[in-house]
Amino acid sequence: MSLPGLEARLRKAIAISTAGRIVPWAAVSLIAWSIANLLFMLFSPPATAVTGLALFLASILPAFAFWPVPDDLLRKTLREADENSVFEALLEPVKGPALELLVRRAVDLDGGLPFRQAPRRPLFRFSGKLAALALFAFACLELVSLLVLRRPAFIYPGPPPALASGLRIDDPSFPAPGQGDGAVAAPKETPARPDPTSADFQALRAKRAESQAETDIYSAAGNAGTAMEKGQAAAAPERREPPASPSSPQDGHSPAAPSAGKKGEAHNLSGGDRGEPGKAEGNPNSRGFAGSAGSLPPSPLVDYRARIFLALTASGGKDVRAGEGLDLAKLRNYERRFFGSFALPLGAGPREDAWSLLVKRRWREGAGASR
Amino acid sequence: MRALSVVALGGGLYALFAIAEGMGGLGLVASALLEECGKFALLVGLAATAARKRNHAAIAKANGDALCLGLVAIGLFATIENLAYFLAFPARDILARLLWSEPVHLVCGFFEAAAAGVLATAARRREKASSWLRPCLEAVSCIAFALAWHLGFNLLAAADPTGPAVAAAGLANLAALLAGGRYFAQRVLVGGFLYGIT
């Protein structure tokens, strides 16, 4: 004896009950996700921690779904489909002549079940306490993300990259001292204190002074570039005056300042050691100077610029070197002479081809010289 | 209390398999056989605990509840296995186990739970020897399908499948999960409730 109609209704009730377990699973997962990401934001573990958390929360869904069905679910479903308690009577261990009659009535009732609408059941059972707890946990997560990350976040983004923390990255592309022409020392190791009487030490002192002046020049030029064009260059050299203290802030944007977190070191590089300019050149142990016994500047930007000027100095010679007495007027003159060599004043009109004019001019000059 | 018991069962299952596979250096076939035998033994043991009830309705309900708890324990075993793999390979690719390994364990669990329920019902009915043939055939078929399903996915994983193959396997797992769930609900939960031990 089988009752397919009743079996189908009971299976449907079990399926609805199982599907409804997703709601408590989602609430518990949201609570666990919020608390875990909140802790991640505070303690900065690797970003893979989020993957592990997602894997765990997704893996425990079957534990919620396959939990035993409620005790009264099947009996309540049966009673809703039962008329005159036929099915329920059949569940009892009945024996005797009434059994055959009971079975026949049950089969007839079961045959009509597909044509009778089953009472609707809510798919999800809403738990107010669990939902409130989930929302509270989520609110705590957003609060912590606003405090730590300065923006709302649902997922822990991972630890900050190494560059922002000021770690030095050694560049092996720069050759070691003595390798090739105009080589710039690769700052892989802190060089030993040089012999003050040696030519190398004198060259290093000169390079250190150039780096120092170059840093100052850029900090002033970047701010007063427009003012110089308007004839305010007289005020610009005052920016080279050493600040009263190493920690005094610099004006405007300074390419020497690497990042917000390292302004103190930038000040030491560009301002602090220039508190006594006469002594800075003679102090090989000043931090950040090439050849010094101290650590090299942590900012890759300052280091790059210092290397560029060292390379220019080594290859260009005295004319390119920025000495102690270099002022902005001399720098402008240098720039004009350097970039002016690229210019060819042809006096070409707006619709004339500059290349053709140049060729014609060179031809005239050559033809005139040959006569 | 039931939750703690289930967690302990899932953790114990994982520890047992980890020790056995670590000792023996088992291959794909042997590890699948070991895991499915272990899961089936767990389910049969849980089904046997339902015999202590008094009346048939209570026995049927206890049988269904015990096997459901066994499925939860298998799900927790799969969760612990996922976390162990994640600790060994901490990358986003590990999330593919949600479409591959865990559904395989659950599909096998459904069919083995149905087999355990059928055998437990036949035992409680104190069937005659000749009447055991059908329940035994049904149980053996379920266990054989579970073993073949697990072994097939192990061999497929050894072949290093690509993205479409993984997606297809996920769909196959989902279909098998629905089919296995329906079969378990029909044979154990509904069948036990309606037809029970009488």
Side-chain angles (χ1 to χ4, degrees):
Chain A
M1 188 256 314
S2 68
L3 303 168
L6 184 59
E7 290 171 8
R9 285 212 177 181
L10 292 172
R11 282 199 309 270
K12 186 179 177 182
I14 292 172
I16 291 173
S17 172
T18 301
R21 308 265 179 87
I22 291 178
V23 173
W25 168 78
V28 170
S29 295
L30 182 58
I31 293 170
W33 179 269
S34 301
I35 294 173
N37 276 276
L38 186 153
L39 293 174
F40 292 162
M41 289 177 189
L42 292 176
F43 296 107
S44 299
T48 52
V50 177
T51 305
L53 177 66
L55 181 68
F56 172 73
L57 293 177
S59 298
I60 62 170
L61 174 60
F64 283 79
F66 302 150
W67 198 259
V69 297
D71 292 342
D72 60 344
L73 174 68
L74 296 179
R75 190 164 291 276
K76 194 183 288 186
T77 306
L78 182 140
R79 285 177 179 170
E80 287 169 355
D82 205 355
E83 283 185 1
N84 302 321
S85 303
V86 172
F87 292 138
E88 202 160 350
L90 195 63
L91 286 179
E92 299 299 323
V94 177
K95 290 182 181 178
L99 180 61
E100 187 179 339
L101 178 63
L102 201 58
V103 168
R104 198 179 314 131
R105 292 183 67 183
V107 171
D108 291 340
L109 185 61
D110 182 74
L113 274 180
F115 305 100
R116 287 168 48 196
Q117 188 175 4
R120 286 183 173 273
R121 274 199 182 82
L123 181 60
F124 304 118
R125 282 197 304 177
F126 181 76
S127 172
K129 289 181 183 177
L130 205 55
L133 198 57
L135 285 175
F136 176 73
F138 183 69
C140 291
L141 169 66
E142 294 306 308
L143 181 64
V144 170
S145 69
L146 284 172
L147 291 174
V148 174
L149 301 177
R150 303 281 189 260
R151 59 179 173 86
F154 184 63
I155 301 177
Y156 165 64
L163 284 175
S165 62
L167 295 177
R168 178 169 182 77
I169 298 175
D170 289 330
D171 187 350
S173 62
F174 284 86
Q179 294 180 359
D181 294 334
V184 176
K188 287 190 177 181
E189 298 176 353
T190 303
R193 183 179 301 194
D195 182 8
T197 60
S198 67
D200 290 339
F201 178 69
Q202 298 298 328
L204 286 173
R205 282 180 57 184
K207 289 177 183 178
R208 200 184 319 125
E210 289 150 15
S211 303
Q212 180 182 359
E214 174 272 331
T215 304
D216 185 30
I217 286 167
Y218 268 82
S219 65
N223 297 331
T226 306
M228 283 164 48
E229 293 297 328
K230 296 180 179 177
Q232 296 179 6
E238 294 178 0
R239 292 179 182 277
R240 294 193 307 109
E241 292 294 330
S245 67
S247 61
S248 64
Q250 290 184 341
D251 296 326
H253 289 291
S254 167
S259 65
K262 297 294 176 184
K263 282 182 179 173
E265 290 185 323
H267 294 161
N268 289 335
L269 283 174
S270 58
D273 290 316
R274 287 184 291 111
E276 298 178 346
K279 292 188 180 177
E281 183 184 344
N283 183 10
N285 293 326
S286 295
R287 185 158 162 253
F289 290 94
S292 68
S295 61
L296 291 167
S299 164
L301 186 60
V302 173
D303 180 65
Y304 168 74
R305 289 171 53 251
R307 293 185 188 188
I308 286 294
F309 267 78
L310 286 176
L312 283 174
T313 304
S315 61
K318 190 170 62 175
D319 292 336
V320 182
R321 185 175 302 136
E324 278 186 83
L326 179 68
D327 57 8
L328 289 172
K330 287 187 181 178
L331 177 64
R332 273 197 303 165
N333 186 32
Y334 165 73
E335 286 178 347
R336 182 176 55 76
R337 288 188 297 108
F338 182 74
F339 291 105
S341 62
F342 297 153
L344 288 174
L346 295 174
R351 295 185 182 182
E352 292 178 275
D353 182 18
W355 177 250
S356 302
L357 286 176
L358 175 63
V359 170
K360 291 174 186 174
R361 176 177 173 176
R362 292 293 184 221
W363 181 261
R364 283 196 298 272
E365 290 172 355
S370 63
R371 290 178 184 166
Chain B
M1 195 63 198
R2 282 202 297 184
L4 289 176
S5 306
V6 165
V7 170
L9 283 173
L13 208 59
Y14 176 78
L16 179 68
F17 294 153
I19 292 170
E21 290 174 6
M23 282 170 48
L26 304 175
L28 294 176
V29 177
S31 65
L33 191 63
L34 172 69
E35 289 182 8
E36 296 314 317
C37 288
K39 285 189 278 186
F40 183 65
L42 171 70
L43 292 165
V44 168
L46 286 171
T49 61
R52 294 175 296 167
K53 301 296 178 182
R54 287 186 181 179
N55 59 57
H56 298 301
I59 290 176
K61 181 66 172 68
N63 195 41
D65 288 354
L67 292 173
C68 285
L69 290 176
L71 288 172
V72 172
I74 290 172
L76 290 176
F77 153 73
T79 300
I80 297 172
E81 190 183 54
N82 285 348
L83 291 177
Y85 271 87
F86 169 72
L87 290 175
F89 308 103
R92 281 191 187 173
D93 296 344
I94 204 70
L95 292 174
R97 289 186 64 84
L98 294 173
L99 291 178
W100 192 280
S101 305
E102 182 159 356
V104 166
H105 287 304
L106 295 174
V107 167
C108 298
F110 271 132
F111 285 96
E112 288 163 0
V118 165
L119 290 176
T121 302
R124 288 189 197 108
R125 283 180 179 167
R126 294 186 173 84
E127 301 272 0
K128 291 183 289 188
S130 59
S131 302
W132 274 83
L133 183 62
R134 190 177 172 197
C136 284
L137 278 177
E138 187 174 353
V140 167
S141 303
C142 291
I143 295 169
F145 175 80
L147 188 60
W149 191 259
H150 191 163
L151 186 59
F153 272 82
N154 273 5
L155 294 174
L156 196 58
D160 196 14
T162 56
V166 173
L171 288 175
N173 261 328
L174 185 61
L177 200 62
L178 293 174
R182 186 187 185 283
Y183 179 67
F184 171 76
Q186 174 65 34
R187 291 295 282 138
V188 176
L189 300 179
V190 175
F193 174 72
L194 284 182
Y195 314 118
I197 316 300
T198 56

mmCIF file of all heavy atoms in Angstrom, chain B residues 165-195:
data_model
loop_
_atom_site.group_PDB
_atom_site.id
_atom_site.type_symbol
_atom_site.label_atom_id
_atom_site.label_comp_id
_atom_site.label_asym_id
_atom_site.label_seq_id
_atom_site.Cartn_x
_atom_site.Cartn_y
_atom_site.Cartn_z
ATOM 1 N N ALA B 165 35.172 22.290 -16.895
ATOM 2 C CA ALA B 165 34.990 20.964 -16.304
ATOM 3 C C ALA B 165 34.587 21.095 -14.843
ATOM 4 O O ALA B 165 33.734 20.345 -14.353
ATOM 5 C CB ALA B 165 36.272 20.146 -16.432
ATOM 6 N N VAL B 166 35.187 22.044 -14.150
ATOM 7 C CA VAL B 166 34.830 22.247 -12.745
ATOM 8 C C VAL B 166 33.387 22.719 -12.627
ATOM 9 O O VAL B 166 32.632 22.272 -11.758
ATOM 10 C CB VAL B 166 35.793 23.264 -12.095
ATOM 11 C CG1 VAL B 166 35.340 23.622 -10.693
ATOM 12 C CG2 VAL B 166 37.205 22.718 -12.069
ATOM 13 N N ALA B 167 32.972 23.612 -13.525
ATOM 14 C CA ALA B 167 31.585 24.101 -13.491
ATOM 15 C C ALA B 167 30.609 22.971 -13.788
ATOM 16 O O ALA B 167 29.564 22.842 -13.134
ATOM 17 C CB ALA B 167 31.401 25.246 -14.491
ATOM 18 N N ALA B 168 30.950 22.136 -14.786
ATOM 19 C CA ALA B 168 30.080 21.001 -15.114
ATOM 20 C C ALA B 168 29.999 20.035 -13.939
ATOM 21 O O ALA B 168 28.921 19.495 -13.629
ATOM 22 C CB ALA B 168 30.603 20.285 -16.363
ATOM 23 N N ALA B 169 31.128 19.819 -13.295
ATOM 24 C CA ALA B 169 31.125 18.936 -12.129
ATOM 25 C C ALA B 169 30.262 19.526 -11.016
ATOM 26 O O ALA B 169 29.560 18.798 -10.313
ATOM 27 C CB ALA B 169 32.551 18.732 -11.634
ATOM 28 N N GLY B 170 30.331 20.839 -10.857
ATOM 29 C CA GLY B 170 29.499 21.487 -9.854
ATOM 30 C C GLY B 170 28.022 21.293 -10.132
ATOM 31 O O GLY B 170 27.230 21.033 -9.230
ATOM 32 N N LEU B 171 27.642 21.426 -11.407
ATOM 33 C CA LEU B 171 26.230 21.223 -11.768
ATOM 34 C C LEU B 171 25.817 19.779 -11.530
ATOM 35 O O LEU B 171 24.702 19.504 -11.052
ATOM 36 C CB LEU B 171 26.006 21.607 -13.230
ATOM 37 C CG LEU B 171 26.052 23.103 -13.539
ATOM 38 C CD1 LEU B 171 25.941 23.348 -15.032
ATOM 39 C CD2 LEU B 171 24.944 23.848 -12.802
ATOM 40 N N ALA B 172 26.707 18.850 -11.904
ATOM 41 C CA ALA B 172 26.398 17.433 -11.679
ATOM 42 C C ALA B 172 26.242 17.144 -10.197
ATOM 43 O O ALA B 172 25.345 16.389 -9.789
ATOM 44 C CB ALA B 172 27.513 16.565 -12.283
ATOM 45 N N ASN B 173 27.109 17.762 -9.395
ATOM 46 C CA ASN B 173 27.007 17.581 -7.952
ATOM 47 C C ASN B 173 25.691 18.128 -7.429
ATOM 48 O O ASN B 173 25.058 17.529 -6.549
ATOM 49 C CB ASN B 173 28.171 18.300 -7.259
ATOM 50 C CG ASN B 173 29.292 17.349 -6.895
ATOM 51 O OD1 ASN B 173 29.040 16.181 -6.602
ATOM 52 N ND2 ASN B 173 30.508 17.847 -6.919
ATOM 53 N N LEU B 174 25.299 19.285 -7.938
ATOM 54 C CA LEU B 174 24.046 19.895 -7.477
ATOM 55 C C LEU B 174 22.857 19.011 -7.829
ATOM 56 O O LEU B 174 21.961 18.787 -7.001
ATOM 57 C CB LEU B 174 23.885 21.272 -8.104
ATOM 58 C CG LEU B 174 22.694 22.088 -7.639
ATOM 59 C CD1 LEU B 174 22.763 22.372 -6.152
ATOM 60 C CD2 LEU B 174 22.606 23.402 -8.416
ATOM 61 N N ALA B 175 22.845 18.480 -9.055
ATOM 62 C CA ALA B 175 21.752 17.599 -9.462
ATOM 63 C C ALA B 175 21.732 16.331 -8.606
ATOM 64 O O ALA B 175 20.650 15.881 -8.178
ATOM 65 C CB ALA B 175 21.904 17.241 -10.947
ATOM 66 N N ALA B 176 22.914 15.766 -8.377
ATOM 67 C CA ALA B 176 22.984 14.555 -7.557
ATOM 68 C C ALA B 176 22.574 14.844 -6.120
ATOM 69 O O ALA B 176 21.969 13.993 -5.451
ATOM 70 C CB ALA B 176 24.407 13.985 -7.592
ATOM 71 N N LEU B 177 22.909 16.053 -5.653
ATOM 72 C CA LEU B 177 22.531 16.439 -4.291
ATOM 73 C C LEU B 177 21.006 16.509 -4.153
ATOM 74 O O LEU B 177 20.428 16.009 -3.178
ATOM 75 C CB LEU B 177 23.156 17.791 -3.975
ATOM 76 C CG LEU B 177 23.311 18.176 -2.505
ATOM 77 C CD1 LEU B 177 24.219 17.204 -1.794
ATOM 78 C CD2 LEU B 177 23.888 19.582 -2.411
ATOM 79 N N LEU B 178 20.359 17.112 -5.142
ATOM 80 C CA LEU B 178 18.898 17.203 -5.102
ATOM 81 C C LEU B 178 18.271 15.813 -5.200
ATOM 82 O O LEU B 178 17.309 15.491 -4.471
ATOM 83 C CB LEU B 178 18.402 18.094 -6.242
ATOM 84 C CG LEU B 178 18.774 19.573 -6.136
ATOM 85 C CD1 LEU B 178 18.372 20.323 -7.388
ATOM 86 C CD2 LEU B 178 18.121 20.203 -4.916
ATOM 87 N N ALA B 179 18.812 14.986 -6.092
ATOM 88 C CA ALA B 179 18.271 13.633 -6.244
ATOM 89 C C ALA B 179 18.487 12.802 -4.983
ATOM 90 O O ALA B 179 17.579 12.091 -4.517
ATOM 91 C CB ALA B 179 18.926 12.940 -7.446
ATOM 92 N N GLY B 180 19.697 12.903 -4.431
ATOM 93 C CA GLY B 180 19.991 12.169 -3.205
ATOM 94 C C GLY B 180 19.148 12.645 -2.038
ATOM 95 O O GLY B 180 18.669 11.845 -1.224
ATOM 96 N N GLY B 181 18.952 13.958 -1.952
ATOM 97 C CA GLY B 181 18.114 14.491 -0.883
ATOM 98 C C GLY B 181 16.678 14.021 -0.985
ATOM 99 O O GLY B 181 16.054 13.659 0.012
ATOM 100 N N ARG B 182 16.160 14.015 -2.203
ATOM 101 C CA ARG B 182 14.782 13.542 -2.399
ATOM 102 C C ARG B 182 14.660 12.074 -2.050
ATOM 103 O O ARG B 182 13.698 11.636 -1.401
ATOM 104 C CB ARG B 182 14.360 13.781 -3.843
ATOM 105 C CG ARG B 182 12.903 13.469 -4.111
ATOM 106 C CD ARG B 182 12.593 13.572 -5.583
ATOM 107 N NE ARG B 182 11.177 13.387 -5.851
ATOM 108 C CZ ARG B 182 10.555 12.215 -5.864
ATOM 109 N NH1 ARG B 182 11.240 11.103 -5.630
ATOM 110 N NH2 ARG B 182 9.263 12.139 -6.119
ATOM 111 N N TYR B 183 15.654 11.288 -2.452
ATOM 112 C CA TYR B 183 15.629 9.850 -2.176
ATOM 113 C C TYR B 183 15.691 9.589 -0.675
ATOM 114 O O TYR B 183 14.948 8.753 -0.143
ATOM 115 C CB TYR B 183 16.791 9.180 -2.897
ATOM 116 C CG TYR B 183 16.878 7.693 -2.669
ATOM 117 C CD1 TYR B 183 15.901 6.831 -3.161
ATOM 118 C CD2 TYR B 183 17.938 7.147 -1.956
ATOM 119 C CE1 TYR B 183 15.975 5.479 -2.949
ATOM 120 C CE2 TYR B 183 18.025 5.786 -1.744
ATOM 121 C CZ TYR B 183 17.032 4.960 -2.244
ATOM 122 O OH TYR B 183 17.110 3.600 -2.035
ATOM 123 N N PHE B 184 16.562 10.313 0.021
ATOM 124 C CA PHE B 184 16.676 10.146 1.471
ATOM 125 C C PHE B 184 15.385 10.559 2.170
ATOM 126 O O PHE B 184 14.893 9.879 3.081
ATOM 127 C CB PHE B 184 17.857 10.974 1.988
ATOM 128 C CG PHE B 184 17.951 11.052 3.475
ATOM 129 C CD1 PHE B 184 18.412 9.986 4.218
ATOM 130 C CD2 PHE B 184 17.563 12.200 4.149
ATOM 131 C CE1 PHE B 184 18.494 10.042 5.597
ATOM 132 C CE2 PHE B 184 17.636 12.281 5.526
ATOM 133 C CZ PHE B 184 18.097 11.200 6.257
ATOM 134 N N ALA B 185 14.820 11.698 1.754
ATOM 135 C CA ALA B 185 13.585 12.167 2.375
ATOM 136 C C ALA B 185 12.455 11.157 2.156
ATOM 137 O O ALA B 185 11.654 10.878 3.070
ATOM 138 C CB ALA B 185 13.205 13.535 1.814
ATOM 139 N N GLN B 186 12.388 10.598 0.947
ATOM 140 C CA GLN B 186 11.329 9.644 0.634
ATOM 141 C C GLN B 186 11.486 8.355 1.423
ATOM 142 O O GLN B 186 10.533 7.856 2.037
ATOM 143 C CB GLN B 186 11.341 9.359 -0.872
ATOM 144 C CG GLN B 186 10.394 8.272 -1.309
ATOM 145 C CD GLN B 186 8.935 8.636 -1.102
ATOM 146 O OE1 GLN B 186 8.565 9.804 -1.242
ATOM 147 N NE2 GLN B 186 8.121 7.663 -0.751
ATOM 148 N N ARG B 187 12.682 7.772 1.411
ATOM 149 C CA ARG B 187 12.872 6.439 2.001
ATOM 150 C C ARG B 187 12.953 6.480 3.508
ATOM 151 O O ARG B 187 12.480 5.579 4.192
ATOM 152 C CB ARG B 187 14.145 5.790 1.434
ATOM 153 C CG ARG B 187 14.057 5.419 -0.008
ATOM 154 C CD ARG B 187 13.016 4.341 -0.242
ATOM 155 N NE ARG B 187 13.530 3.023 0.150
ATOM 156 C CZ ARG B 187 12.800 2.125 0.816
ATOM 157 N NH1 ARG B 187 11.560 2.381 1.181
ATOM 158 N NH2 ARG B 187 13.303 0.945 1.111
ATOM 159 N N VAL B 188 13.569 7.508 4.043
ATOM 160 C CA VAL B 188 13.824 7.514 5.493
ATOM 161 C C VAL B 188 12.808 8.368 6.237
ATOM 162 O O VAL B 188 12.138 7.899 7.157
ATOM 163 C CB VAL B 188 15.250 8.025 5.776
ATOM 164 C CG1 VAL B 188 15.496 8.123 7.265
ATOM 165 C CG2 VAL B 188 16.272 7.101 5.129
ATOM 166 N N LEU B 189 12.682 9.631 5.837
ATOM 167 C CA LEU B 189 11.836 10.535 6.609
ATOM 168 C C LEU B 189 10.348 10.257 6.360
ATOM 169 O O LEU B 189 9.591 9.969 7.298
ATOM 170 C CB LEU B 189 12.180 11.992 6.264
ATOM 171 C CG LEU B 189 13.631 12.410 6.561
ATOM 172 C CD1 LEU B 189 13.859 13.849 6.168
ATOM 173 C CD2 LEU B 189 13.982 12.184 8.009
ATOM 174 N N VAL B 190 9.930 10.345 5.098
ATOM 175 C CA VAL B 190 8.513 10.146 4.786
ATOM 176 C C VAL B 190 8.128 8.684 4.943
ATOM 177 O O VAL B 190 7.102 8.347 5.542
ATOM 178 C CB VAL B 190 8.212 10.648 3.356
ATOM 179 C CG1 VAL B 190 6.771 10.332 2.975
ATOM 180 C CG2 VAL B 190 8.472 12.136 3.264
ATOM 181 N N GLY B 191 8.977 7.798 4.392
ATOM 182 C CA GLY B 191 8.661 6.379 4.493
ATOM 183 C C GLY B 191 8.634 5.906 5.926
ATOM 184 O O GLY B 191 7.753 5.137 6.341
ATOM 185 N N GLY B 192 9.588 6.364 6.722
ATOM 186 C CA GLY B 192 9.598 5.980 8.119
ATOM 187 C C GLY B 192 8.402 6.520 8.864
ATOM 188 O O GLY B 192 7.839 5.869 9.732
ATOM 189 N N PHE B 193 7.960 7.735 8.513
ATOM 190 C CA PHE B 193 6.819 8.348 9.192
ATOM 191 C C PHE B 193 5.518 7.649 8.821
ATOM 192 O O PHE B 193 4.681 7.374 9.681
ATOM 193 C CB PHE B 193 6.753 9.827 8.836
ATOM 194 C CG PHE B 193 5.545 10.543 9.365
ATOM 195 C CD1 PHE B 193 5.418 10.820 10.712
ATOM 196 C CD2 PHE B 193 4.512 10.922 8.513
ATOM 197 C CE1 PHE B 193 4.304 11.478 11.207
ATOM 198 C CE2 PHE B 193 3.396 11.582 9.000
ATOM 199 C CZ PHE B 193 3.287 11.861 10.356
ATOM 200 N N LEU B 194 5.349 7.381 7.520
ATOM 201 C CA LEU B 194 4.084 6.808 7.070
ATOM 202 C C LEU B 194 4.019 5.304 7.290
ATOM 203 O O LEU B 194 3.040 4.784 7.825
ATOM 204 C CB LEU B 194 3.885 7.103 5.592
ATOM 205 C CG LEU B 194 3.471 8.541 5.226
ATOM 206 C CD1 LEU B 194 3.275 8.660 3.735
ATOM 207 C CD2 LEU B 194 2.211 8.955 5.962
ATOM 208 N N TYR B 195 5.051 4.587 6.882
ATOM 209 C CA TYR B 195 5.011 3.141 6.866
ATOM 210 C C TYR B 195 5.815 2.520 7.980
ATOM 211 O O TYR B 195 5.577 1.371 8.356
ATOM 212 C CB TYR B 195 5.496 2.613 5.514
ATOM 213 C CG TYR B 195 4.880 3.346 4.349
ATOM 214 C CD1 TYR B 195 5.658 4.067 3.461
ATOM 215 C CD2 TYR B 195 3.504 3.347 4.162
ATOM 216 C CE1 TYR B 195 5.087 4.755 2.405
ATOM 217 C CE2 TYR B 195 2.926 4.038 3.113
ATOM 218 C CZ TYR B 195 3.730 4.744 2.233
ATOM 219 O OH TYR B 195 3.160 5.418 1.192
#
